[in-house]
Amino acid sequence: MIADTLPGRDTRAGDPLDRLNAQLARMRATQPLWTDLPAEPLSSLADLARLPVLRKSDLAQMQAKAAPFGGLTGGPVAGLRRLFVSPGPIFDPEGRGADWWGSAAALSAAGVTPGDVILNTFSYHLTPAAFIFEAGAETLGCPVIPAGPGNTADQLTAITQYRPRVYVGVPDFLKIILDKADEDGVDRSCLRVGMVTGAALPDSLRADLAGRGVAVRQCYGTADLGIVAYEDGGPGMAVNDGVIVEIVRPGTGDPVSDGEVGEIVVTRLNADYPLLRFATGDMSATDGAGRIKGWMGRADQAAKVKGMFVRPEQIAAIGRAVPGCQRLRLEITRAGEQDRMRLLAEHPDSAAADRLAEKLAEITRLKGSVQVVAPGSLPNDGRVIADLR
């Protein structure tokens, strides 16, 4: 499934398909890596599925071969604003221009207004998270306290002196700050809005923070892409302007049906760093037009069985080799001090089990049992490999 822009949102930036085709033409002309892209324009956003997926796990090798950014930037390093080193290491650029990371819409949807003081507790050291929100705050006209993480006592000093209305950071640290303020008798009533990401936000924690006067909303993004989607009061999250989101079957580039859980693949419409079908390794599902359900776990489900790795793309290959397959799930267990594999396959014909067993052994080079189950009976949770050991 593809989600581009939410109906009714600002479309002054242009039609996503037109912007995508313009970007593809620019990539072919300026980046040797993409000279093999199809010369003809795409006729629909669904045509993206014909193009290869770029996996985050590939970036380190690409960047080692062609420093610093693997040939993926749209111009020289001298034209960039900041150069980051993220864990991996992965090297991320920041270009010039207002709200380059796309965080202003997320902040605004959370209730941030011009002039609000923002306490930014993301790290300002080598990684981009703090600067992602710094750029959006500048666009909205909000002064920022560059607090960074930790140092709770200093955070409370800043809160006392500057009276920030907005917290930006991971949700757990917001609770730590509120707990410490209450413990020390510090007036933290100025904090009314939380913009959180980077960690899970359970309903219990959201309710706890709301009960203490802080209305929290979350967004989803990465150091490579900026802000991809954000809560705006509707179901799930709204897909941000400037990105095209696909939900694909893990280990493949094949889009899943609307509402089915799969891996988030993002095309970023950005001249400085035009990522094409970038597989994030995160899971989600569509939640209506132009919306996703937010972060739903990791897609990297590789497991080692009898000393050999089994990967989601191998399970997808088994499904393609046996016509009629729907969802597949490989369960890995341990019995009698031995690893065991069982492939659960949605298929209308139970006789497909023999063919599936052959392909399981051929593709994984490991033997396992096969159980054919009724179509629609496996959970819609995006799990392709379930390691139950």
Side-chain angles (χ1 to χ4, degrees):
M1 185 277 171
I2 290 181
D4 43 85
T5 54
L6 178 66
R9 287 174 60 199
D10 185 0
T11 57
R12 288 173 296 176
D15 177 74
L17 180 60
D18 291 342
R19 295 168 68 188
L20 174 60
N21 279 320
Q23 175 160 300
L24 292 176
R26 193 165 52 242
M27 292 166 72
R28 282 193 301 269
T30 62
Q31 297 173 263
L33 184 67
W34 301 111
T35 53
D36 292 335
L37 286 174
E40 67 277 5
L42 302 184
S43 60
S44 72
L45 294 180
D47 288 343
L48 266 174
R50 304 199 323 251
L51 303 180
V53 165
L54 172 64
R55 298 202 167 275
K56 185 162 186 170
S57 56
D58 297 331
L59 282 184
Q61 290 184 350
M62 294 173 67
Q63 292 176 349
K65 291 178 181 178
F69 299 115
L72 293 170
T73 47
V77 171
L80 298 172
R81 186 179 185 186
R82 291 189 179 95
L83 311 172
F84 297 103
V85 183
S86 295
I90 299 293
F91 302 93
D92 298 305
E94 179 185 359
R96 301 183 185 276
D99 194 28
W100 192 85
W101 299 96
S103 67
L107 289 167
S108 180
V112 179
T113 58
D116 285 345
V117 176
I118 296 177
L119 181 72
N120 189 350
T121 66
F122 281 116
S123 173
Y124 280 80
H125 180 66
L126 286 179
T127 55
F131 298 94
I132 288 175
F133 293 98
E134 183 97 13
E138 183 176 357
T139 296
L140 294 177
C142 297
V144 175
I145 305 168
N151 300 313
T152 310
D154 290 341
Q155 304 274 359
L156 296 183
T157 298
I159 289 170
T160 300
Q161 191 71 14
Y162 290 116
R163 310 302 292 161
R165 180 172 178 265
V166 181
Y167 167 91
V168 170
V170 297
D172 296 0
F173 190 49
L174 174 55
K175 184 179 187 305
I176 289 172
I177 288 175
L178 298 183
D179 288 346
K180 183 63 174 174
D182 293 346
E183 178 185 324
D184 292 356
V186 174
D187 178 11
R188 44 79 178 173
S189 61
C190 55
L191 287 172
R192 310 297 293 173
V193 174
M195 175 81 264
V196 301
T197 190
L201 178 64
D203 290 342
S204 57
L205 179 55
R206 191 195 293 263
D208 176 76
L209 296 171
R212 301 167 79 173
V214 185
V216 171
R217 283 190 176 166
Q218 60 183 331
C219 62
Y220 167 72
T222 76
D224 322 275
L225 300 163
I227 303 304
V228 174
Y230 56 87
E231 290 182 339
D232 64 349
M237 293 184 178
V239 172
N240 206 359
D241 183 51
V243 297
I244 299 169
V245 173
E246 300 171 80
I247 307 295
V248 308
R249 199 165 305 285
T252 77
D254 304 330
V256 300
S257 302
D258 287 352
E260 187 172 351
V261 177
E263 183 177 9
I264 302 170
V265 170
V266 179
T267 294
R268 188 179 185 198
L269 303 176
N270 180 281
D272 297 314
Y273 199 38
L275 294 177
L276 178 64
R277 298 202 83 203
F278 184 77
T280 63
D282 293 320
M283 304 282 278
S284 191
T286 57
D287 201 9
R291 308 188 76 85
I292 62 174
K293 291 185 176 179
W295 185 82
M296 298 178 68
R298 290 290 296 168
D300 184 8
Q301 301 167 31
K304 186 173 282 190
V305 180
K306 297 181 180 178
M308 296 180 65
F309 276 107
V310 180
R311 303 182 185 279
E313 51 265 37
Q314 293 174 299
I315 307 306
I318 294 168
R320 288 193 296 269
V322 181
C325 284
Q326 298 180 24
R327 292 194 187 106
L328 300 179
R329 176 175 299 209
L330 184 72
E331 291 186 342
I332 304 170
T333 57
R334 193 161 177 84
E337 302 303 323
Q338 294 285 324
D339 290 334
R340 298 279 189 264
M341 296 196 313
R342 180 176 68 153
L343 181 66
L344 302 176
E346 291 184 352
H347 198 287
D349 184 3
S350 60
D354 290 343
R355 179 68 171 153
L356 285 163
E358 291 175 6
K359 286 298 174 182
L360 176 64
E362 175 187 325
I363 291 173
T364 67
R365 299 184 181 180
L366 294 164
K367 291 184 178 180
S369 63
V370 173
Q371 179 180 344
V372 173
V373 299
S377 62
L378 290 178
N380 176 24
D381 58 6
R383 298 296 298 175
V384 177
I385 298 176
D387 192 343
L388 307 177
R389 290 172 291 187

